Amino acid sequence: MAAGRAAECGARVLLLEKNSAAGRKLLMTGNGRCNLTQKEDNVRELVKKYHNGAFLFSASHAFGPRRVIEFFEECGVRTKEEELQRVFPISNKAIDVLNALLDYLKAGKVTIKYNAIVKRIESKNGRIDAVILADGTKLNAKKVILSTGGQSYPSTGSTGDGWKWLRDLGHTVVEPKPALVPLKVKETWVKELKGVSLQNVDVKVIKNKKTIAKTNGDFIFTHFGVSGPAILTVSREAVAALAGDCRAPSDYARNDKKGMDVSLQIDLLPETTIEKLDRHLSASSKEFAAKSAKHVLDGLASSRLAEALIELAKIDPRKQCGQITKVERQTLVSLMKSMTLTVIGSLGFEVAMVTSGGVDVKEVDPKTMQSKLIDNLFFAGEVLDVDGPTGGYNLQMCWSTGFAAGSSV
Ligand SMILES: Cc1cc2nc3c(=O)[nH]c(=O)nc-3n(C[C@H](O)[C@H](O)[C@H](O)COP(=O)(O)OP(=O)(O)OC[C@H]3O[C@@H](n4cnc5c(N)ncnc54)[C@H](O)[C@@H]3O)c2cc1C
């Protein structure tokens, strides 16, 4: 987007890409369908959803979701809106989005150099002087846009290279951490529930007894812990809380530091109060008096989940519903209203959908994406310390910052 827009505005553009093809990550987005934006036309509401959202206000105003949709429609990518205002190509093919961008580059006569691994950036008198490739090629340009992405899914080429150069150039890089990432939990019983999913649960992240994030959404148990949209949404805060005073990225995978206590509290039935649930279970234990204990949860939990809850509540599964005691019933209520899972880590950068952290936005002009430290350097995309939830937010901010950077160079 940045390269195409710069060319459209009249610049002569060379795009350097270390892979042998463009848009490797883009092709994976939205499970290959590319959730290309989030149809929130109120810019104030849109930017609220991001970490450092205020930084995006100008860029989102100039090139917000409506302009993005128009842009792709003009490039021949017809779009559709799905639930939660997520926008996809009608074809359900991410490759159509990539091809539209490649056509945009072609129309602007952008030269693309593939297999061009940037190794270093040299500066002189507060300006970028040269870009050095791995094969030793030295390139000069009046202006440089850096859009090397984050360091999630490194197999796609996003390995956080840009941040090293930027640190050397004097920029502050906020410690990168995995975000929108499944979480590992300590409780081994979750493995037994692998594949069990729940809709519309309330999830809170608790650190040292304080709620630091909460959301509502779908949730799934996995062989290592928990995942699903609700977990991905709060994973940023959970990972940051776990990191605590850790320094090395590998430390993000541990929750064994003294005093560090990060947990998830899950309300499986947010529509029901504790009292109502207790009354419901009390009625069920009478209705299904002669049936085995797990049937007290009929209509509230799937058979596998019910079995697990009965076991967690330390109720003998052979017991009949009618024999469940008040204390056992209350334990079940508490498990369902505030199931607690101890977070011990995340699945890390390998599978995180985005990276939180990156170039400190205080050092970047939000209108032009120009570095405040280096005159002829600009930024676009995930390399910046801005990240959003799932739902098209992250690509939206790539388009808008790319458009701003391209327009200003
Ligand atoms: C599985 C998955 C699904 C996703 N789905 C969605 C979705 O549906 N909707 C959404 O909004 N977001 C989604 N995201 C997030 C979104 O894909 C990213 O936020 C976005 O791709 C970031 O774009 P970018 O251009 O900043 O960086 P990237 O897409 O990471 O591109 C950076 C490019 O720079 C190149 N590069 C890096 N270092 C060098 C170097 N040294 N020399 C030369 N080139 C280099 C890389 O090869 C790469 O091509 C998803 C992410 C993942 C991993």
Side-chain angles (χ1 to χ4, degrees):
M1 179 58 78
R5 176 64 184 163
E8 189 180 5
C9 295
R12 203 156 61 88
V13 184
L14 170 65
L15 175 69
L16 301 173
E17 168 56 59
K18 78 161 142 185
N19 291 328
S20 56
R24 213 168 256 179
K25 186 176 277 181
L26 188 61
L27 288 176
M28 296 173 72
T29 56
N31 276 330
R33 297 201 301 132
C34 186
N35 176 194
L36 59 102
T37 188
Q38 162 65 213
K39 203 165 178 306
E40 173 55 77
D41 287 325
N42 183 330
V43 173
R44 269 181 212 291
E45 291 304 315
L46 178 77
V47 300
K48 267 189 208 163
K49 296 285 171 62
Y50 295 89
H51 166 69
N52 279 335
F55 172 82
L56 291 176
F57 191 79
S58 264
S60 307
H61 202 71
F63 202 63
R66 194 181 308 163
R67 289 284 307 275
V68 166
I69 292 167
E70 278 166 16
F71 169 86
F72 282 106
E73 297 260 350
E74 277 164 24
C75 294
V77 181
R78 293 186 52 219
T79 60
K80 59 174 171 176
E81 188 182 332
E82 295 193 359
E83 59 170 1
L84 305 173
Q85 308 192 120
R86 295 173 307 151
V87 179
F88 293 85
I90 280 188
S91 64
N92 286 324
K93 288 185 182 141
I95 191 147
D96 291 349
V97 176
L98 175 60
N99 283 337
L101 289 167
L102 289 172
D103 287 346
Y104 185 45
L105 295 179
K106 207 168 174 185
K109 298 195 170 50
V110 171
T111 307
I112 311 180
K113 192 170 164 63
Y114 292 112
N115 303 309
I117 307 170
V118 175
K119 267 284 168 216
R120 241 176 39 247
I121 295 185
E122 288 178 356
S123 68
K124 207 192 254 173
N125 305 326
R127 289 177 63 80
I128 304 284
D129 185 47
V131 173
I132 318 292
L133 303 189
D135 65 5
T137 311
K138 192 169 180 172
L139 298 158
N140 302 101
K142 279 188 192 148
K143 291 174 181 175
V144 174
I145 304 178
L146 206 124
S147 58
T148 40
Q151 64 183 76
S152 314
Y153 268 85
S155 55
T156 61
S158 329
T159 44
D161 298 5
W163 292 323
K164 190 193 163 302
W165 316 324
L166 289 168
R167 285 195 188 99
D168 292 347
L169 291 167
H171 262 288
T172 310
V173 175
V174 177
E175 179 83 46
K177 299 189 196 89
L180 299 186
V181 64
L183 297 174
K184 292 183 191 168
V185 300
K186 191 160 127 191
E187 291 72 15
T188 48
W189 55 263
V190 298
K191 285 193 188 99
E192 307 300 320
L193 289 176
K194 179 183 158 197
V196 170
S197 60
L198 299 160
Q199 264 103 47
N200 289 321
V201 300
D202 275 358
V203 178
K204 282 184 193 164
V205 180
I206 316 274
K207 183 181 184 185
N208 297 336
K209 303 199 172 85
K210 276 200 195 117
T211 301
I212 54 165
K214 57 181 179 183
T215 193
N216 171 276
D218 297 352
F219 165 97
I220 186 163
F221 290 102
T222 65
H223 62 283
F224 51 80
V226 288
S227 189
I231 295 300
L232 298 185
T233 301
V234 295
S235 61
R236 177 185 212 292
E237 285 77 10
V239 171
L242 264 191
D245 57 352
C246 307
R247 293 287 176 265
S250 58
D251 284 345
Y252 299 132
R254 294 210 302 266
N255 187 9
D256 55 2
K257 298 244 157 173
K258 218 174 167 196
M260 199 154 354
D261 175 14
V262 182
S263 59
L264 299 171
Q265 205 179 72
I266 300 152
D267 182 348
L268 307 183
L269 299 167
E271 307 282 305
T272 315
T273 62
I274 290 177
E275 294 72 28
K276 272 192 194 158
L277 181 57
D278 189 56
R279 280 203 295 277
H280 182 98
L281 292 185
S282 174
S284 296
S285 57
K286 286 179 191 126
E287 190 181 344
F288 306 120
K291 287 190 170 183
S292 62
K294 72 170 186 180
H295 290 283
V296 75
L297 297 168
D298 278 2
L300 295 178
S302 66
S303 175
R304 273 175 74 196
L305 180 59
E307 278 166 19
L309 291 169
I310 292 292
E311 199 180 323
L312 287 171
K314 298 198 168 53
I315 302 173
D316 181 346
R318 290 162 305 180
K319 208 173 197 179
Q320 293 178 328
C321 289
Q323 297 170 321
I324 294 176
T325 66
K326 187 176 171 192
V327 172
E328 287 171 336
R329 199 176 70 227
Q330 284 169 344
T331 310
L332 279 178
V333 170
S334 132
L335 276 169
M336 296 182 90
K337 290 299 288 176
S338 55
M339 176 182 279
T340 303
L341 298 170
T342 319
V343 184
I344 53 167
S346 79
L347 286 206
F349 286 117
E350 291 300 315
V351 298
M353 282 167 74
V354 294
T355 304
S356 71
V359 182
D360 190 336
V361 294
K362 289 200 276 305
E363 297 172 356
V364 183
D365 180 327
K367 285 203 176 79
T368 58
M369 297 298 141
Q370 184 173 19
S371 159
K372 291 181 183 170
L373 309 185
I374 294 159
D375 195 45
N376 57 346
L377 177 63
F378 297 74
F379 301 100
E382 210 177 303
V383 72
L384 292 158
D385 179 21
V386 183
D387 57 279
T390 55
Y393 290 95
N394 289 294
L395 282 176
Q396 172 56 44
M397 78 89 181
C398 292
W399 311 135
S400 59
T401 54
F403 185 87
S407 304
S408 38
V409 296

